[in-house]
Amino acid sequence: MASIEIRDLVKTYTDARGNQTRVLDGIDLTLSGETFTSVVGPSGSGKTTLLNIVSGIEPHTSGTVDLTSQGRDAKVGYVFQDPRLLPWRTVMANLGFVQDGRSGWQERARHYLDLVGLPHVEGRFPAQLSGGQQQRIGIARAFSVEPDVLLMDEPFSHLDAMTSRSLREHLERIWLESRRTVMFVTHDVTEAVQLSDRIVVLAPGGRVHEVIDVDLPRPRRASDPAVAVLQAEVLARFEALEAATGAAAPVAVAR
Ligand SMILES: Nc1ncnc2c1ncn2[C@@H]1O[C@H](COP(=O)(O)OP(=O)(O)OP(=O)(O)O)[C@@H](O)[C@H]1O
Ligand SMILES: [Mg+2]
């Protein structure tokens, strides 16, 4: 079982004049096992910084971050905001590019292409696919390495409402099948409710404002009234946080 343990995490940026800005201020979080955790928060609250520190892309100032799986370092997968496929490689070659030398990767790749609903595109180049299809390839690519921990930074925010809705359903299906420890950053509170077991709300200044458990049966449909009720409740709490802190409004679109 994998886990992400974040203890008293602080991140301070220092500008050219030596002025320091603290953007994460003592984050304590544990994400473990087969849980899907979303991180939401107003713009500038430190979501991307937190994810980048967890992934190792960004150094932190103090505190600790440990990603482990069965007593060893966890294998990490990352789904970016844009798909970042190599344009000169076919879909299959793009998936092959990230493999770690284990045998049988072609079967795994085909399995995840199936799960994202794209079983027939392995010989195509990225330019021959729509933006939403490319993002699905990005998701299949991340799952195909069978990471212990999957990190995602607003993977659907560039897509239109219908495409992102269908991708959320694909993502839930693929996650239900493979059950990774997921940390998913989003602006969109409604998306967080639909996908998550837990929602971590960051407040401006980079503190954990609250953690909300989402106890709804899966698979979830956006049209399910129970989903809609919880979405409205979490959105109302989010708006209260914004009103209290004067933060910019998040993008929270009812679908
Ligand atoms: N390289 C950097 N140097 C200085 N400050 C930075 C840097 N990167 C981010 N920041 C600041 O850190 C804070 C958190 O930024 P971050 O990108 O993590 O926020 P976010 O919650 O992901 O916002 P958004 O929802 O707009 O994507 C912001 O105030 C931002 O201006
Ligand atoms: Mg961000």
Side-chain angles (χ1 to χ4, degrees):
M1 195 172 79
S3 71
I4 304 173
E5 298 247 5
I6 302 168
R7 290 286 161 267
D8 202 15
L9 181 69
V10 172
K11 173 68 181 179
T12 305
Y13 283 113
T14 307
D15 70 15
R17 294 184 180 156
N19 300 318
Q20 295 198 327
T21 315
R22 185 174 278 215
V23 299
L24 294 176
D25 189 15
I27 304 277
D28 275 303
L29 279 176
T30 302
L31 284 66
S32 62
E34 301 171 343
T35 54
F36 195 120
T37 303
S38 287
V39 178
V40 303
S43 183
S45 56
K47 304 181 294 295
T48 296
T49 305
L50 177 62
L51 198 76
N52 286 345
I53 289 172
V54 170
S55 72
I57 295 172
E58 177 92 48
H60 55 285
T61 307
S62 64
T64 57
V65 178
D66 290 309
L67 282 74
T68 52
S69 178
Q70 275 132 26
R72 55 172 173 79
D73 287 348
K75 194 187 334 176
V76 179
Y78 206 112
V79 180
F80 300 94
Q81 199 164 15
D82 48 73
R84 301 197 191 181
L85 303 176
L86 300 172
W88 58 88
R89 287 177 179 256
T90 63
V91 165
M92 200 61 175
N94 264 282
L95 269 66
F97 189 69
V98 298
Q99 304 299 321
D100 52 9
R102 280 187 303 149
S103 61
W105 71 265
Q106 287 93 340
E107 288 77 69
R108 283 201 302 281
R110 289 197 184 97
H111 175 67
Y112 287 103
L113 288 172
D114 262 5
L115 277 180
V116 296
L118 292 172
H120 305 302
V121 302
E122 61 179 73
R124 290 210 216 159
F125 288 91
Q128 298 171 304
L129 300 168
S130 71
Q133 288 171 329
Q134 291 185 33
Q135 194 59 290
R136 277 193 258 172
I137 303 295
I139 292 169
R141 178 179 58 185
F143 276 91
S144 72
V145 299
E146 303 196 313
D148 305 303
V149 165
L150 199 61
L151 308 174
M152 296 189 234
D153 191 7
E154 308 211 29
F156 309 141
S157 63
H158 283 169
L159 304 169
D160 64 81
M162 258 169 66
T163 307
S164 56
R165 178 181 175 150
S166 120
L167 280 191
R168 278 196 290 276
E169 285 172 11
H170 280 296
L171 175 61
E172 188 188 35
R173 192 179 322 141
I174 197 168
W175 177 79
L176 281 172
E177 200 246 21
S178 62
R179 299 280 186 171
R180 308 285 154 189
T181 307
V182 173
M183 184 171 183
F184 182 93
V185 163
T186 178
H187 269 85
D188 185 335
V189 173
T190 58
E191 173 169 277
V193 171
Q194 196 184 337
L195 288 171
S196 318
D197 301 308
R198 283 201 317 162
I199 302 174
V200 175
V201 182
L202 288 190
R207 283 177 299 281
V208 175
H209 174 67
E210 65 177 331
V211 178
I212 300 167
D213 288 318
V214 181
D215 194 12
L216 295 172
R218 294 179 185 272
R220 296 175 189 158
R221 303 228 127 243
S223 53
D224 179 347
V227 173
V229 165
L230 194 62
Q231 283 170 331
E233 188 192 320
V234 177
L235 194 51
R237 288 205 232 170
F238 205 111
E239 284 169 352
L241 168 66
E242 281 164 23
T245 58
V251 178
V253 186
R255 296 194 174 99

